[in-house]
Amino acid sequence: MASSVVQKMAGAVRVGKLAAMAGAGALLLGACMSVPTQRVALVPVAAADPVSVIQLSRMISAQLSNDSIVTLSAGSQWQRVGALPQGDAYRSLSGLFTIQTRRQAEAYVVASSGKLVGFYLPGESAYLSLTRPVTLPVEMRQ
């Protein structure tokens, strides 16, 4: 009888260790997808301002701080919707553009001095910077 109690206790310890390892793994996986953001306020484009649209002449890829890669398609068009301290914010004209952070989130391109510097997450009012800026191969449209 004593041996069956010991076996049950050993089994419970193994289950507890497995549960702890699974929980730690989930926490680490979540941390890998997580990216640091900072709260910012978007200043919308004034109604009197002319419409500003850019079009990418080629595909570009940018790396986030969690090592994930975001790709912007050649020919994609982006309309200026506002400004942040980090640069101008552009929303995709071809539909919802999303990136993977803690969860999948809508994102606007943030550009400054002809470079993609990060993304604005309108649902979180947050800015996400790139590991390093990427030159935007753009054609201006009106």
Side-chain angles (χ1 to χ4, degrees):
M1 181 160 149
S3 106
S4 69
V5 170
V6 170
Q7 288 174 340
K8 285 181 184 177
M9 287 178 61
V13 168
R14 276 186 290 228
V15 169
K17 284 182 181 179
L18 285 174
M21 288 188 334
L27 184 62
L28 286 173
L29 183 59
C32 289
M33 292 309 293
S34 161
V35 289
T37 59
Q38 63 186 102
R39 304 274 298 161
V40 293
L42 176 75
V43 177
V45 171
D49 286 351
V51 174
S52 176
V53 176
I54 58 174
Q55 179 174 326
L56 299 183
S57 60
R58 64 178 169 79
M59 181 193 81
I60 62 167
S61 296
Q63 184 173 8
L64 302 179
S65 60
N66 66 357
D67 291 333
S68 63
I69 302 295
V70 176
T71 302
L72 304 177
S73 302
S76 60
Q77 294 184 343
W78 304 81
Q79 181 176 347
R80 184 172 177 267
V81 293
L84 307 169
Q86 295 83 356
D88 290 326
Y90 294 83
R91 180 178 57 220
S92 173
L93 287 178
S94 62
L96 193 65
F97 177 75
T98 61
I99 60 174
Q100 188 67 43
T101 58
R102 288 178 204 94
R103 57 182 170 72
Q104 193 162 349
E106 180 180 12
Y108 298 167
V109 166
V110 177
S112 178
S113 301
K115 295 183 184 274
L116 172 63
V117 295
F119 295 97
Y120 174 68
L121 309 175
E124 300 174 23
S125 297
Y127 172 74
L128 166 65
S129 65
L130 296 180
T131 304
R132 75 192 125 175
V134 176
T135 300
L136 279 172
V138 299
E139 302 168 2
M140 295 300 291
R141 301 200 169 242
Q142 290 293 337

mmCIF file of all heavy atoms in Angstrom, residues 11-59:
data_model
loop_
_atom_site.group_PDB
_atom_site.id
_atom_site.type_symbol
_atom_site.label_atom_id
_atom_site.label_comp_id
_atom_site.label_asym_id
_atom_site.label_seq_id
_atom_site.Cartn_x
_atom_site.Cartn_y
_atom_site.Cartn_z
ATOM 1 N N GLY A 11 3.866 10.217 -9.848
ATOM 2 C CA GLY A 11 3.101 10.575 -11.055
ATOM 3 C C GLY A 11 2.603 12.000 -10.996
ATOM 4 O O GLY A 11 2.636 12.735 -11.981
ATOM 5 N N ALA A 12 2.129 12.425 -9.832
ATOM 6 C CA ALA A 12 1.631 13.791 -9.663
ATOM 7 C C ALA A 12 2.762 14.804 -9.843
ATOM 8 O O ALA A 12 2.574 15.855 -10.445
ATOM 9 C CB ALA A 12 0.989 13.956 -8.287
ATOM 10 N N VAL A 13 3.945 14.476 -9.350
ATOM 11 C CA VAL A 13 5.101 15.367 -9.506
ATOM 12 C C VAL A 13 5.453 15.502 -10.980
ATOM 13 O O VAL A 13 5.715 16.597 -11.480
ATOM 14 C CB VAL A 13 6.307 14.848 -8.683
ATOM 15 C CG1 VAL A 13 7.580 15.571 -9.057
ATOM 16 C CG2 VAL A 13 6.024 15.005 -7.194
ATOM 17 N N ARG A 14 5.435 14.375 -11.725
ATOM 18 C CA ARG A 14 5.738 14.421 -13.169
ATOM 19 C C ARG A 14 4.717 15.278 -13.909
ATOM 20 O O ARG A 14 5.070 16.081 -14.758
ATOM 21 C CB ARG A 14 5.765 13.012 -13.756
ATOM 22 C CG ARG A 14 7.102 12.318 -13.577
ATOM 23 C CD ARG A 14 7.049 11.018 -14.311
ATOM 24 N NE ARG A 14 6.119 10.178 -13.555
ATOM 25 C CZ ARG A 14 6.332 8.931 -13.181
ATOM 26 N NH1 ARG A 14 7.399 8.330 -13.564
ATOM 27 N NH2 ARG A 14 5.470 8.277 -12.475
ATOM 28 N N VAL A 15 3.442 15.118 -13.591
ATOM 29 C CA VAL A 15 2.395 15.914 -14.233
ATOM 30 C C VAL A 15 2.602 17.389 -13.905
ATOM 31 O O VAL A 15 2.482 18.254 -14.781
ATOM 32 C CB VAL A 15 0.991 15.429 -13.803
ATOM 33 C CG1 VAL A 15 -0.088 16.400 -14.246
ATOM 34 C CG2 VAL A 15 0.721 14.046 -14.367
ATOM 35 N N GLY A 16 2.933 17.678 -12.683
ATOM 36 C CA GLY A 16 3.177 19.070 -12.275
ATOM 37 C C GLY A 16 4.353 19.673 -13.028
ATOM 38 O O GLY A 16 4.308 20.818 -13.472
ATOM 39 N N LYS A 17 5.432 18.902 -13.194
ATOM 40 C CA LYS A 17 6.601 19.388 -13.940
ATOM 41 C C LYS A 17 6.244 19.643 -15.401
ATOM 42 O O LYS A 17 6.652 20.636 -15.981
ATOM 43 C CB LYS A 17 7.758 18.389 -13.848
ATOM 44 C CG LYS A 17 8.475 18.400 -12.527
ATOM 45 C CD LYS A 17 9.635 17.417 -12.546
ATOM 46 C CE LYS A 17 10.360 17.391 -11.225
ATOM 47 N NZ LYS A 17 11.467 16.428 -11.216
ATOM 48 N N LEU A 18 5.475 18.715 -15.993
ATOM 49 C CA LEU A 18 5.074 18.891 -17.388
ATOM 50 C C LEU A 18 4.206 20.142 -17.554
ATOM 51 O O LEU A 18 4.370 20.900 -18.507
ATOM 52 C CB LEU A 18 4.321 17.657 -17.889
ATOM 53 C CG LEU A 18 5.177 16.426 -18.187
ATOM 54 C CD1 LEU A 18 4.283 15.237 -18.526
ATOM 55 C CD2 LEU A 18 6.140 16.700 -19.315
ATOM 56 N N ALA A 19 3.293 20.350 -16.628
ATOM 57 C CA ALA A 19 2.424 21.528 -16.698
ATOM 58 C C ALA A 19 3.254 22.810 -16.559
ATOM 59 O O ALA A 19 3.028 23.788 -17.278
ATOM 60 C CB ALA A 19 1.350 21.467 -15.621
ATOM 61 N N ALA A 20 4.231 22.804 -15.664
ATOM 62 C CA ALA A 20 5.093 23.970 -15.476
ATOM 63 C C ALA A 20 5.918 24.242 -16.728
ATOM 64 O O ALA A 20 6.068 25.390 -17.160
ATOM 65 C CB ALA A 20 6.010 23.774 -14.273
ATOM 66 N N MET A 21 6.445 23.184 -17.362
ATOM 67 C CA MET A 21 7.235 23.354 -18.578
ATOM 68 C C MET A 21 6.358 23.862 -19.716
ATOM 69 O O MET A 21 6.765 24.712 -20.503
ATOM 70 C CB MET A 21 7.924 22.045 -18.969
ATOM 71 C CG MET A 21 9.060 21.710 -18.014
ATOM 72 S SD MET A 21 10.137 20.324 -18.454
ATOM 73 C CE MET A 21 9.217 19.261 -19.470
ATOM 74 N N ALA A 22 5.139 23.357 -19.827
ATOM 75 C CA ALA A 22 4.227 23.807 -20.878
ATOM 76 C C ALA A 22 3.881 25.284 -20.678
ATOM 77 O O ALA A 22 3.846 26.065 -21.634
ATOM 78 C CB ALA A 22 2.962 22.964 -20.885
ATOM 79 N N GLY A 23 3.631 25.663 -19.449
ATOM 80 C CA GLY A 23 3.322 27.067 -19.154
ATOM 81 C C GLY A 23 4.503 27.980 -19.471
ATOM 82 O O GLY A 23 4.337 29.047 -20.047
ATOM 83 N N ALA A 24 5.710 27.551 -19.115
ATOM 84 C CA ALA A 24 6.904 28.340 -19.409
ATOM 85 C C ALA A 24 7.111 28.450 -20.915
ATOM 86 O O ALA A 24 7.473 29.512 -21.431
ATOM 87 C CB ALA A 24 8.128 27.712 -18.752
ATOM 88 N N GLY A 25 6.858 27.375 -21.634
ATOM 89 C CA GLY A 25 6.997 27.399 -23.097
ATOM 90 C C GLY A 25 6.023 28.365 -23.731
ATOM 91 O O GLY A 25 6.368 29.123 -24.640
ATOM 92 N N ALA A 26 4.793 28.367 -23.263
ATOM 93 C CA ALA A 26 3.787 29.287 -23.799
ATOM 94 C C ALA A 26 4.177 30.731 -23.508
ATOM 95 O O ALA A 26 4.015 31.615 -24.357
ATOM 96 C CB ALA A 26 2.417 28.972 -23.209
ATOM 97 N N LEU A 27 4.705 30.982 -22.314
ATOM 98 C CA LEU A 27 5.138 32.327 -21.942
ATOM 99 C C LEU A 27 6.287 32.784 -22.838
ATOM 100 O O LEU A 27 6.295 33.909 -23.332
ATOM 101 C CB LEU A 27 5.560 32.348 -20.475
ATOM 102 C CG LEU A 27 5.942 33.697 -19.888
ATOM 103 C CD1 LEU A 27 4.742 34.635 -19.951
ATOM 104 C CD2 LEU A 27 6.407 33.541 -18.465
ATOM 105 N N LEU A 28 7.257 31.909 -23.088
ATOM 106 C CA LEU A 28 8.379 32.253 -23.960
ATOM 107 C C LEU A 28 7.927 32.493 -25.389
ATOM 108 O O LEU A 28 8.391 33.413 -26.051
ATOM 109 C CB LEU A 28 9.437 31.142 -23.928
ATOM 110 C CG LEU A 28 10.281 31.071 -22.661
ATOM 111 C CD1 LEU A 28 11.166 29.843 -22.675
ATOM 112 C CD2 LEU A 28 11.106 32.332 -22.511
ATOM 113 N N LEU A 29 7.017 31.665 -25.883
ATOM 114 C CA LEU A 29 6.512 31.842 -27.240
ATOM 115 C C LEU A 29 5.789 33.177 -27.360
ATOM 116 O O LEU A 29 5.979 33.912 -28.328
ATOM 117 C CB LEU A 29 5.575 30.696 -27.617
ATOM 118 C CG LEU A 29 5.024 30.727 -29.037
ATOM 119 C CD1 LEU A 29 6.158 30.689 -30.052
ATOM 120 C CD2 LEU A 29 4.084 29.566 -29.256
ATOM 121 N N GLY A 30 5.004 33.523 -26.380
ATOM 122 C CA GLY A 30 4.319 34.805 -26.384
ATOM 123 C C GLY A 30 5.301 35.971 -26.350
ATOM 124 O O GLY A 30 5.116 36.982 -27.013
ATOM 125 N N ALA A 31 6.379 35.820 -25.595
ATOM 126 C CA ALA A 31 7.390 36.866 -25.516
ATOM 127 C C ALA A 31 8.113 37.028 -26.846
ATOM 128 O O ALA A 31 8.506 38.125 -27.229
ATOM 129 C CB ALA A 31 8.389 36.554 -24.407
ATOM 130 N N CYS A 32 8.298 35.941 -27.577
ATOM 131 C CA CYS A 32 8.967 36.011 -28.872
ATOM 132 C C CYS A 32 8.140 36.818 -29.863
ATOM 133 O O CYS A 32 8.684 37.526 -30.698
ATOM 134 C CB CYS A 32 9.201 34.611 -29.439
ATOM 135 S SG CYS A 32 10.459 33.687 -28.550
ATOM 136 N N MET A 33 6.830 36.686 -29.831
ATOM 137 C CA MET A 33 5.971 37.408 -30.765
ATOM 138 C C MET A 33 5.742 38.846 -30.307
ATOM 139 O O MET A 33 5.361 39.689 -31.084
ATOM 140 C CB MET A 33 4.621 36.692 -30.905
ATOM 141 C CG MET A 33 4.712 35.354 -31.587
ATOM 142 S SD MET A 33 5.595 35.383 -33.151
ATOM 143 C CE MET A 33 4.490 36.363 -34.134
ATOM 144 N N SER A 34 5.970 39.112 -29.040
ATOM 145 C CA SER A 34 5.742 40.428 -28.486
ATOM 146 C C SER A 34 6.799 41.409 -29.008
ATOM 147 O O SER A 34 7.956 41.060 -29.174
ATOM 148 C CB SER A 34 5.810 40.307 -26.967
ATOM 149 O OG SER A 34 6.020 41.539 -26.375
ATOM 150 N N VAL A 35 6.386 42.607 -29.285
ATOM 151 C CA VAL A 35 7.300 43.647 -29.722
ATOM 152 C C VAL A 35 7.057 44.893 -28.887
ATOM 153 O O VAL A 35 5.923 45.192 -28.529
ATOM 154 C CB VAL A 35 7.121 43.970 -31.226
ATOM 155 C CG1 VAL A 35 7.636 42.855 -32.091
ATOM 156 C CG2 VAL A 35 5.688 44.270 -31.562
ATOM 157 N N PRO A 36 8.124 45.610 -28.559
ATOM 158 C CA PRO A 36 7.935 46.814 -27.746
ATOM 159 C C PRO A 36 7.293 47.933 -28.567
ATOM 160 O O PRO A 36 7.686 48.188 -29.698
ATOM 161 C CB PRO A 36 9.353 47.183 -27.317
ATOM 162 C CG PRO A 36 10.248 46.551 -28.316
ATOM 163 C CD PRO A 36 9.525 45.340 -28.825
ATOM 164 N N THR A 37 6.296 48.555 -27.986
ATOM 165 C CA THR A 37 5.616 49.670 -28.630
ATOM 166 C C THR A 37 5.601 50.855 -27.675
ATOM 167 O O THR A 37 5.857 50.703 -26.484
ATOM 168 C CB THR A 37 4.157 49.317 -28.995
ATOM 169 O OG1 THR A 37 3.463 48.962 -27.808
ATOM 170 C CG2 THR A 37 4.093 48.176 -29.999
ATOM 171 N N GLN A 38 5.317 52.020 -28.225
ATOM 172 C CA GLN A 38 5.139 53.190 -27.369
ATOM 173 C C GLN A 38 3.841 53.878 -27.748
ATOM 174 O O GLN A 38 3.471 53.933 -28.916
ATOM 175 C CB GLN A 38 6.339 54.133 -27.465
ATOM 176 C CG GLN A 38 6.569 54.733 -28.828
ATOM 177 C CD GLN A 38 7.858 55.529 -28.891
ATOM 178 O OE1 GLN A 38 8.832 55.044 -29.412
ATOM 179 N NE2 GLN A 38 7.851 56.735 -28.369
ATOM 180 N N ARG A 39 3.131 54.339 -26.739
ATOM 181 C CA ARG A 39 1.853 55.027 -26.960
ATOM 182 C C ARG A 39 2.130 56.353 -27.649
ATOM 183 O O ARG A 39 3.027 57.093 -27.254
ATOM 184 C CB ARG A 39 1.143 55.273 -25.636
ATOM 185 C CG ARG A 39 0.896 54.033 -24.810
ATOM 186 C CD ARG A 39 -0.332 53.275 -25.088
ATOM 187 N NE ARG A 39 -1.546 54.040 -24.853
ATOM 188 C CZ ARG A 39 -2.701 53.687 -25.378
ATOM 189 N NH1 ARG A 39 -2.788 52.626 -26.119
ATOM 190 N NH2 ARG A 39 -3.774 54.387 -25.144
ATOM 191 N N VAL A 40 1.346 56.637 -28.690
ATOM 192 C CA VAL A 40 1.467 57.902 -29.425
ATOM 193 C C VAL A 40 0.076 58.355 -29.846
ATOM 194 O O VAL A 40 -0.859 57.559 -29.880
ATOM 195 C CB VAL A 40 2.358 57.777 -30.683
ATOM 196 C CG1 VAL A 40 3.805 57.518 -30.328
ATOM 197 C CG2 VAL A 40 1.844 56.711 -31.619
ATOM 198 N N ALA A 41 -0.020 59.624 -30.160
ATOM 199 C CA ALA A 41 -1.285 60.172 -30.652
ATOM 200 C C ALA A 41 -1.110 60.532 -32.119
ATOM 201 O O ALA A 41 -0.184 61.264 -32.476
ATOM 202 C CB ALA A 41 -1.676 61.400 -29.841
ATOM 203 N N LEU A 42 -1.986 60.014 -32.954
ATOM 204 C CA LEU A 42 -1.983 60.326 -34.377
ATOM 205 C C LEU A 42 -2.704 61.650 -34.577
ATOM 206 O O LEU A 42 -3.830 61.828 -34.097
ATOM 207 C CB LEU A 42 -2.691 59.226 -35.167
ATOM 208 C CG LEU A 42 -2.848 59.465 -36.665
ATOM 209 C CD1 LEU A 42 -1.507 59.256 -37.367
ATOM 210 C CD2 LEU A 42 -3.888 58.530 -37.247
ATOM 211 N N VAL A 43 -2.061 62.575 -35.271
ATOM 212 C CA VAL A 43 -2.707 63.835 -35.649
ATOM 213 C C VAL A 43 -3.240 63.621 -37.059
ATOM 214 O O VAL A 43 -2.456 63.464 -38.000
ATOM 215 C CB VAL A 43 -1.710 65.009 -35.616
ATOM 216 C CG1 VAL A 43 -2.389 66.299 -36.079
ATOM 217 C CG2 VAL A 43 -1.118 65.168 -34.228
ATOM 218 N N PRO A 44 -4.574 63.541 -37.225
ATOM 219 C CA PRO A 44 -5.135 63.237 -38.548
ATOM 220 C C PRO A 44 -4.876 64.344 -39.566
ATOM 221 O O PRO A 44 -4.697 65.508 -39.211
ATOM 222 C CB PRO A 44 -6.627 63.072 -38.296
ATOM 223 C CG PRO A 44 -6.872 63.400 -36.877
ATOM 224 C CD PRO A 44 -5.578 63.718 -36.210
ATOM 225 N N VAL A 45 -4.888 63.958 -40.827
ATOM 226 C CA VAL A 45 -4.755 64.910 -41.922
ATOM 227 C C VAL A 45 -5.958 65.853 -41.890
ATOM 228 O O VAL A 45 -7.091 65.398 -41.697
ATOM 229 C CB VAL A 45 -4.709 64.159 -43.282
ATOM 230 C CG1 VAL A 45 -4.782 65.122 -44.447
ATOM 231 C CG2 VAL A 45 -3.461 63.301 -43.368
ATOM 232 N N ALA A 46 -5.705 67.126 -42.073
ATOM 233 C CA ALA A 46 -6.790 68.110 -42.095
ATOM 234 C C ALA A 46 -7.598 67.942 -43.382
ATOM 235 O O ALA A 46 -7.046 67.596 -44.431
ATOM 236 C CB ALA A 46 -6.225 69.519 -42.006
ATOM 237 N N ALA A 47 -8.890 68.179 -43.295
ATOM 238 C CA ALA A 47 -9.777 68.038 -44.451
ATOM 239 C C ALA A 47 -9.342 68.934 -45.609
ATOM 240 O O ALA A 47 -9.532 68.601 -46.773
ATOM 241 C CB ALA A 47 -11.209 68.351 -44.048
ATOM 242 N N ALA A 48 -8.720 70.072 -45.302
ATOM 243 C CA ALA A 48 -8.287 71.012 -46.336
ATOM 244 C C ALA A 48 -6.990 70.572 -47.026
ATOM 245 O O ALA A 48 -6.663 71.078 -48.105
ATOM 246 C CB ALA A 48 -8.098 72.397 -45.727
ATOM 247 N N ASP A 49 -6.244 69.655 -46.429
ATOM 248 C CA ASP A 49 -4.983 69.186 -47.022
ATOM 249 C C ASP A 49 -5.250 68.353 -48.265
ATOM 250 O O ASP A 49 -6.230 67.595 -48.317
ATOM 251 C CB ASP A 49 -4.193 68.332 -46.023
ATOM 252 C CG ASP A 49 -3.542 69.148 -44.923
ATOM 253 O OD1 ASP A 49 -3.545 70.391 -45.023
ATOM 254 O OD2 ASP A 49 -3.037 68.525 -43.975
ATOM 255 N N PRO A 50 -4.383 68.478 -49.282
ATOM 256 C CA PRO A 50 -4.555 67.650 -50.479
ATOM 257 C C PRO A 50 -4.310 66.172 -50.141
ATOM 258 O O PRO A 50 -3.547 65.852 -49.228
ATOM 259 C CB PRO A 50 -3.503 68.176 -51.448
ATOM 260 C CG PRO A 50 -2.498 68.877 -50.602
ATOM 261 C CD PRO A 50 -3.226 69.353 -49.375
ATOM 262 N N VAL A 51 -4.955 65.288 -50.888
ATOM 263 C CA VAL A 51 -4.768 63.850 -50.692
ATOM 264 C C VAL A 51 -3.357 63.487 -51.142
ATOM 265 O O VAL A 51 -2.924 63.874 -52.228
ATOM 266 C CB VAL A 51 -5.820 63.038 -51.486
ATOM 267 C CG1 VAL A 51 -5.545 61.558 -51.401
ATOM 268 C CG2 VAL A 51 -7.215 63.370 -50.993
ATOM 269 N N SER A 52 -2.647 62.761 -50.305
ATOM 270 C CA SER A 52 -1.281 62.343 -50.627
ATOM 271 C C SER A 52 -1.223 60.821 -50.639
ATOM 272 O O SER A 52 -1.496 60.184 -49.623
ATOM 273 C CB SER A 52 -0.317 62.909 -49.586
ATOM 274 O OG SER A 52 0.982 62.450 -49.827
ATOM 275 N N VAL A 53 -0.876 60.251 -51.793
ATOM 276 C CA VAL A 53 -0.786 58.805 -51.952
ATOM 277 C C VAL A 53 0.599 58.451 -52.475
ATOM 278 O O VAL A 53 1.116 59.123 -53.375
ATOM 279 C CB VAL A 53 -1.858 58.277 -52.934
ATOM 280 C CG1 VAL A 53 -1.698 56.782 -53.184
ATOM 281 C CG2 VAL A 53 -3.253 58.568 -52.392
ATOM 282 N N ILE A 54 1.201 57.415 -51.899
ATOM 283 C CA ILE A 54 2.462 56.900 -52.417
ATOM 284 C C ILE A 54 2.230 55.486 -52.933
ATOM 285 O O ILE A 54 1.334 54.781 -52.457
ATOM 286 C CB ILE A 54 3.592 56.908 -51.353
ATOM 287 C CG1 ILE A 54 3.210 56.083 -50.126
ATOM 288 C CG2 ILE A 54 3.959 58.334 -50.973
ATOM 289 C CD1 ILE A 54 4.327 55.915 -49.103
ATOM 290 N N GLN A 55 3.030 55.095 -53.915
ATOM 291 C CA GLN A 55 2.968 53.731 -54.452
ATOM 292 C C GLN A 55 4.380 53.172 -54.449
ATOM 293 O O GLN A 55 5.320 53.839 -54.897
ATOM 294 C CB GLN A 55 2.413 53.744 -55.877
ATOM 295 C CG GLN A 55 2.360 52.360 -56.489
ATOM 296 C CD GLN A 55 1.680 52.365 -57.849
ATOM 297 O OE1 GLN A 55 0.756 53.132 -58.086
ATOM 298 N NE2 GLN A 55 2.137 51.492 -58.725
ATOM 299 N N LEU A 56 4.529 51.947 -53.965
ATOM 300 C CA LEU A 56 5.849 51.319 -53.924
ATOM 301 C C LEU A 56 6.208 50.790 -55.306
ATOM 302 O O LEU A 56 5.417 50.074 -55.927
ATOM 303 C CB LEU A 56 5.883 50.178 -52.908
ATOM 304 C CG LEU A 56 5.608 50.564 -51.453
ATOM 305 C CD1 LEU A 56 5.746 49.349 -50.549
ATOM 306 C CD2 LEU A 56 6.532 51.670 -50.987
ATOM 307 N N SER A 57 7.397 51.126 -55.776
ATOM 308 C CA SER A 57 7.822 50.675 -57.102
ATOM 309 C C SER A 57 8.400 49.262 -57.069
ATOM 310 O O SER A 57 8.540 48.626 -58.103
ATOM 311 C CB SER A 57 8.853 51.643 -57.686
ATOM 312 O OG SER A 57 9.987 51.724 -56.844
ATOM 313 N N ARG A 58 8.724 48.772 -55.879
ATOM 314 C CA ARG A 58 9.197 47.394 -55.728
ATOM 315 C C ARG A 58 8.850 46.899 -54.325
ATOM 316 O O ARG A 58 8.539 47.687 -53.438
ATOM 317 C CB ARG A 58 10.692 47.272 -55.995
ATOM 318 C CG ARG A 58 11.565 48.017 -55.026
ATOM 319 C CD ARG A 58 13.062 47.819 -55.297
ATOM 320 N NE ARG A 58 13.868 48.723 -54.524
ATOM 321 C CZ ARG A 58 14.166 48.568 -53.229
ATOM 322 N NH1 ARG A 58 13.709 47.530 -52.567
ATOM 323 N NH2 ARG A 58 14.896 49.448 -52.583
ATOM 324 N N MET A 59 8.915 45.573 -54.143
ATOM 325 C CA MET A 59 8.639 44.973 -52.841
ATOM 326 C C MET A 59 9.765 45.327 -51.865
ATOM 327 O O MET A 59 10.929 45.410 -52.261
ATOM 328 C CB MET A 59 8.558 43.448 -52.979
ATOM 329 C CG MET A 59 8.253 42.751 -51.672
ATOM 330 S SD MET A 59 8.522 40.978 -51.763
ATOM 331 C CE MET A 59 10.274 40.908 -51.533
#
